[in-house]
Amino acid sequence: MLPMDAKKNADSYSYPNGMLNSGYVGGVLRNPDPVNGICYIQQTRNENHMLPIAFDPKKTPLPRNIQEGDLIFAICHASGERKEDQRIVHMKSISFEQPNTMHLDKRFADDLLRKWGSLVHAAAKDSGTPDSIRKLEEEFGRPSDTQARLDSIDWRVLGLNKNATNTVRLAGFIQAKSLEQNRVGPDGKPLNDRLVVLLRQTKDPDKSIAIRWYSKNLRPLAEKLHRGIPISVSGEFRLDVKAIAPPDPDSGIAPVSSIPFIQAKDFPSPVAPGSDLIRVIPSWAAELFERPTQREVEASATSSDAERQALFAAIQPSAT
């Protein structure tokens, strides 16, 4: 748990590497494992999209008064990992809290209930409505406009596209980027462009944090984001879920794979020299401005090839 004075001063925990790295996720506590230091925060009825949150059982234990199915709030740090050919984002809690009047306002309730009210894929497990969500509905009522917050980026409604239950704020240096255009879904319908940026905050480039943008015509944005540029971005912690086999004939549930990532919910902003967002300029940052290797050049190209797929995840459209 964070001490009370630290809770009042976000600066005390928001710069683990001298760069902004602060996230908070609120929802329903699921599958807590205090021995191995892992739990899940559920924000939708679809159990495939429960968000994994790691924690240190000794330094940051789960509150004893919060049980499975209760509402919980986690203050987290994001980190990246290169796992085989995938880029994985991890969220590790530095503090768990039981939502109180500071958290449980109308905006928080609307955002969580709106997510919980979304349709569940036919081949996914629907967890229904736990008592904690039911009580939230009784206190605040159901959201009146379930379409107000769009799931993908729409530059005209960015004010509505912020989520009071799931926010990650980051600043760092661009390690690499990948733009995919002319994407097509399993049903043959065209998909939005996808831009993936690896944001580096540590000496190890394999720990860069994968951030994704989804929208129409992302090329102009991609062309402005160059290796080594310091940027800041706000987004959400999400899972890219896809079915890996047909549904089980008995249960009707399909096995899935999931890739945790950060989905950007705003334009990235350049970080000016002397900005408070990046307080320490590491020596490795200068290396990013040196000539990139051929492998990195190919990884930043807009075409799909083996090298780019090796650096970035070979991500398929979500199915469940």
Side-chain angles (χ1 to χ4, degrees):
M1 292 290 182
L2 288 173
M4 186 57 66
D5 57 344
K7 293 178 184 178
K8 296 179 180 179
N9 180 17
D11 282 4
S12 65
Y13 58 80
S14 298
Y15 296 83
N17 297 296
M19 306 177 202
L20 179 63
N21 187 325
S22 179
Y24 60 86
V25 181
V28 178
L29 176 64
R30 296 298 309 275
N31 303 335
D33 185 346
V35 175
N36 295 308
I38 185 70
C39 68
Y40 295 82
I41 293 182
Q42 187 174 3
Q43 296 189 324
T44 77
R45 296 163 60 109
N46 187 340
E47 295 194 2
N48 287 338
H49 290 270
M50 297 192 303
L51 302 171
I53 306 292
F55 62 93
D56 188 317
K58 294 183 178 180
K59 296 181 179 179
T60 316
L62 287 163
R64 294 180 180 179
N65 61 330
I66 300 181
Q67 305 297 322
E68 166 89 15
D70 290 345
L71 293 180
I72 193 170
F73 187 91
I75 300 174
C76 305
H77 289 152
S79 62
E81 178 189 7
R82 181 173 179 175
K83 195 172 183 179
E84 297 179 351
D85 63 342
Q86 305 287 2
R87 287 287 181 167
I88 307 296
V89 171
H90 298 286
M91 293 291 279
K92 185 173 184 178
S93 176
I94 58 172
S95 179
F96 288 108
E97 305 291 339
Q98 186 171 25
N100 51 38
T101 53
M102 182 178 70
H103 308 122
L104 294 179
D105 57 9
K106 178 65 173 174
R107 181 63 188 276
F108 175 93
D110 279 356
D111 283 350
L112 182 54
L113 293 176
R114 187 174 294 118
K115 276 180 168 287
W116 206 272
S118 59
L119 296 176
V120 179
H121 193 278
K125 186 176 180 180
D126 185 341
S127 62
T129 303
D131 289 342
S132 55
I133 295 295
R134 192 173 293 110
K135 291 177 181 178
L136 207 61
E137 289 181 343
E138 294 173 354
E139 181 176 356
F140 293 97
R142 293 185 178 182
S144 57
D145 184 1
T146 58
Q147 297 301 317
R149 182 182 174 277
L150 302 184
D151 184 51
S152 60
I153 289 178
D154 184 333
W155 308 123
R156 297 167 298 177
V157 293
L158 282 176
L160 299 173
N161 219 9
K162 302 303 173 64
N163 187 351
T165 69
N166 187 332
T167 295
V168 183
R169 299 173 61 237
L170 299 166
F173 297 86
I174 296 177
Q175 173 70 25
K177 66 181 179 183
S178 170
L179 174 63
E180 295 177 72
Q181 296 183 293
N182 303 317
R183 301 168 61 233
V184 179
D187 56 1
K189 295 182 179 180
L191 299 175
N192 282 338
D193 293 354
R194 175 172 53 206
L195 172 63
V196 182
V197 168
L198 298 183
L199 191 70
R200 185 172 170 183
Q201 291 189 328
T202 66
K203 184 177 181 180
D204 185 353
D206 282 346
K207 293 183 179 180
S208 298
I209 301 169
I211 303 172
R212 303 185 192 180
W213 282 261
Y214 291 91
S215 188
K216 297 178 180 178
N217 191 22
L218 286 174
R219 181 181 289 276
L221 174 60
E223 291 176 345
K224 295 180 181 297
L225 300 179
H226 301 290
R227 174 185 165 95
I229 290 179
I231 62 171
S232 65
V233 65
S234 295
E236 289 185 19
F237 180 47
R238 290 194 170 189
L239 296 181
D240 185 2
V241 178
K242 59 178 178 290
I244 57 177
D248 180 83
D250 295 326
S251 67
I253 305 300
V256 300
S257 65
S258 61
I259 302 172
F261 69 100
I262 303 299
Q263 179 165 338
K265 289 295 176 181
D266 209 339
F267 283 113
S269 300
V271 177
S275 170
D276 197 46
L277 297 175
I278 296 181
R279 299 179 175 181
V280 177
I281 306 297
S283 58
W284 53 258
E287 301 172 0
L288 296 175
F289 291 96
E290 298 176 356
R291 183 176 180 179
T293 65
Q294 181 63 26
R295 180 169 179 266
E296 291 167 332
V297 170
E298 293 173 355
S300 296
T302 58
S303 59
S304 295
D305 55 34
E307 290 295 332
R308 182 170 64 79
Q309 298 296 345
L311 186 58
F312 295 91
I315 310 164
Q316 299 177 10
S318 299
T320 57

